[in-house]
Amino acid sequence: MTRFEGYAVLITGAARGIGAATARRFAAEGARVLVTDVDGEAAEMAAAGLRERGLTAEAYRCDVADRAAVEAAVAHAVDTFGALDVLVNNAFHCSPDAPLFEDGSDDAWAADLDITLTGAYRCARAALPHLAASGRGAVVCVGSVNGLADFGNHAYSAAKAGLVSLTRTLAGHAAARGVRVNLVAPGTVRTASWEGRDDELAAFAELYPLGRVGEPEDIAAAVTFLASRDASWITGTTLVVDGGITTGDTGFRAARRGPV
């Protein structure tokens, strides 16, 4: 497939996990991809891996908490590729909850919101003029089911819920400029953050109606769909990609022995 032949794509948090899988999918479908990450060395390794496969990818260190760094990354994409057609807001920060809500720290709350939500705002603000100029611009945000229901992590969940709202309001603004804005909300996905925790993932898999946790490629497929012409009449939506976990209380269903 070459749905993105000639497209220029910038992905944040793309050195590993969902971001790296998304970069692979875009590049495999013909896009020129700028792999950005706060870990510049890891971003370069990810981009080099794509180039080794004959794909087009460059790397750029970008901290989405830094407005100047974001603007420099967008400028680098435009300078390198001549345009910018797709922005994927994937970078995030997730702080563990304190045992008691009242023991939570301002710093943890601020970090989750600044990187996960405000970082996406900074990137969209810098990219929007270029996306509008492309004539086929799209923004895809990577949210979470945490932004839709209670799965813990107060600050991270609040940031992801805010990202749903930002997606909706930005879609309303950007539509007149020819830019679509959508969000993918994943459930549990097997990434490096779960390394060494296979027992936990196996326990989670039993809660998912489809019987497994997600893989980064599952989310990459949804992101690329929303960025493509296949989704040309879709904007402002949240596409839940979660193996069915938000369909209902799976624990209750398993415990039920008869009609309620």
Side-chain angles (χ1 to χ4, degrees):
M1 296 176 66
T2 55
R3 287 185 297 180
F4 299 104
E5 191 69 39
Y7 277 61
V9 179
L10 187 159
I11 308 172
T12 66
R16 52 183 64 83
I18 291 171
T22 301
R24 289 193 298 270
R25 183 66 182 258
F26 271 112
E29 293 197 40
R32 299 163 294 164
V33 179
L34 185 63
V35 176
T36 77
D37 200 280
V38 70
D39 185 340
E41 184 176 341
E44 179 52 48
M45 290 178 61
L50 295 175
R51 292 194 296 270
E52 288 171 3
R53 296 170 54 186
L55 305 175
T56 303
E58 300 293 334
Y60 197 85
R61 183 187 180 281
C62 179
D63 179 358
V64 299
D66 181 342
R67 178 175 182 172
V70 166
E71 292 176 349
V74 170
H76 184 77
V78 174
D79 289 346
T80 301
F81 301 136
L84 182 61
D85 302 291
V86 177
L87 166 68
V88 179
N89 283 316
N90 175 68
F92 72 94
H93 189 276
C94 182
S95 301
D97 284 340
L100 292 175
F101 183 81
E102 57 266 35
D103 293 332
S105 75
D106 285 1
D107 288 345
W109 178 271
D112 283 15
L113 266 69
D114 191 38
I115 295 172
T116 307
L117 177 56
T118 311
Y121 164 72
R122 292 186 186 101
C123 292
R125 179 177 58 192
L128 189 56
H130 304 286
L131 298 173
S134 83
R136 56 189 181 187
V139 178
V140 183
C141 297
V142 179
S144 171
V145 294
N146 283 62
L148 308 175
D150 176 20
F151 292 97
N153 295 106
H154 304 296
Y156 172 79
S157 297
K160 290 296 192 181
L163 197 54
V164 171
S165 180
L166 176 62
T167 296
R168 187 167 51 243
T169 58
L170 182 56
H173 167 83
R177 302 170 72 177
V179 178
R180 297 180 301 104
V181 187
N182 292 291
L183 180 142
V184 175
T188 305
V189 177
R190 190 191 310 273
T191 62
S193 62
W194 291 98
E195 189 172 347
R197 300 163 65 187
D198 290 343
D199 289 347
E200 287 182 70
L201 284 178
F204 283 148
E206 294 181 4
L207 299 175
Y208 279 82
L210 289 181
R212 67 175 177 88
V213 298
E215 301 295 338
E217 291 74 17
D218 294 320
I219 312 309
V223 171
T224 51
F225 162 68
L226 288 174
S228 76
R229 291 290 192 182
D230 293 335
S232 62
W233 210 47
I234 301 174
T235 196
T237 196
T238 291
L239 175 58
V240 180
V241 184
D242 71 344
I245 194 67
T246 55
T247 59
D249 189 332
T250 55
F252 178 85
R253 185 188 306 114
R256 193 179 66 190
R257 293 295 181 267
V260 175

